[in-house]
Amino acid sequence: MRHEDGSKIASPEQMQEWMKQTMDWIGGIAAQNKFVGGTGLLFADAKVVHHNKMVTDGPFGEIKETIGGFITVRAESAEEAAEFAKGCPVLQGEGNTMEVRRIHKNEGGH
Amino acid sequence: MKQQELIPHLFRTEYRKIVSVLCKRFGFDQIEIAEDITADTFLAASQTWPYKGIPQNPVAWLYFVAKNKAKNHLQRNLVFESKVSEELKRSSDEAYETGIDLSPQNINDSQLQMMFAICQPSISQEAQIGLSLRILCGFGIEEIANAFLSSKETINKRLFRAKEKLRKENVKIEFPGPAEIDERLGSVLTTLYLLFNEGYYSSSQDTTIRRDLCDEAMRLCTMLVENKLTGKPEVNALLALMYFQASRFNARIDQNGELVLYDDQDTNLWDAELISKGAYFLNCATTGNTLSQYHIQAAIAYWGTQKADTPEKWKNVLQLYNQLLQLEYSPIAALNRTYALSKTAGKEAAIIEAEKLKLSNNHFYYTLLGELYTDIDNGIARQHFQNALALARTQTDKQIIQRKIDCLA
């Protein structure tokens, strides 16, 4: 999932509501026995290491939306995985996106 | 206690202790001999006590007799072995004198170690539960057959095969090392969890047996909780779960032995003492940093003990099911999660989620769909209930579904 740092644009209450929506979304996938795992990524302490080995804070620069986390699902096809992605609450934010990728050499996983 | 009741009572409480201690001394490969000696001891009691009267301390009498029989057995073996080697006689002389230790500490340890010996993933779950009932709970073969709705012959065969398998694998009666204990404890907890469920959800109409299964699972789990090697957070969590569930035992079954659904239960029959014990153990479970499926299930069961049907209750239950499903998927958790969703987000939203589950060989799935469609589209609801009725196996389930269909009309 690619999105803005929510804490910069929303109240703690709103953040909590998003969290709950995310849990419901993942719970719905898990209820179909298609959830494999998930990892949320923090915005704090983010670093970018550039090709000249220079280290800067935060990845963001020109783009506001960056990887905020990922989940792994068991899907028959990329299309099914995209269907799951449609339910993700980050898509409520304009400019946010979900990217679907197949895992390399992982039989049956997408 | 009268003699006719005393011996069966002692059999239930002492058989398992004597077998575990003897078997630990002889080794698992001699489990049948340990069982025979113990059975002989009880036979001796039932033959002697009617004539000579009940001894002052019946338990001590049993231990004394069992110990002597075991010594005789070891001595007979020793005579045989000494013909082979004089050296062997000297070295094992002490062993048979002091080896049979029926102290409370050793009885307790032996039973716990026996639990680990039996709960091996290499034998089926059914066999693990059967052996646990026989060796750790002192159940008769007939009682086990009743609990499983099976025949004595089938159970005998199942237990025999399981013992053979464990013998071949050279299973030791000992505590696993610290590195291994978490993994092995997982198998033990699964067996206790299933043993409890066998009693709680069993289709057996025999209420006494069902209650016994639950009580035994709780007793064994308590032993694990009380031991410092095994009293880990997830063990406390499992015990909490059992207490919360058991608190509704009397409310779940009416005078005719029929199941009473959660919503229809007389909450005055919920046992407040068991609920508070559950809360105590759930509190004990909140140390360390592992969150087991039993923690989440116990937390869900806690909300089940709250009488008030509040939005807060269902919001919490939904989040807990979301977590549980990520940790450990099961069809029943998926269905319960969807029910909780209907309580927080409404039936329409829940129908969309329910239809994605596709558990089309599960009668609870159709029962849930029937429930969700009730008052939204009773025609569709009826179809789902009919599907459920066709798939349901037990009489109890069929009755419950039929009642729901009758309510639609």
Side-chain angles (χ1 to χ4, degrees), chain B residues 226-238:
Chain B
E226 286 171 351
N227 185 286
K228 64 175 187 299
L229 277 175
T230 55
K232 307 225 166 187
E234 66 267 35
V235 184
N236 282 278
L238 177 59

Side-chain angles (χ1 to χ4, degrees), chain B residues 338-351:
Chain B
T338 312
Y339 182 74
L341 186 72
S342 79
K343 290 284 201 174
T344 56
K347 284 184 168 185
E348 281 90 350
I351 286 172

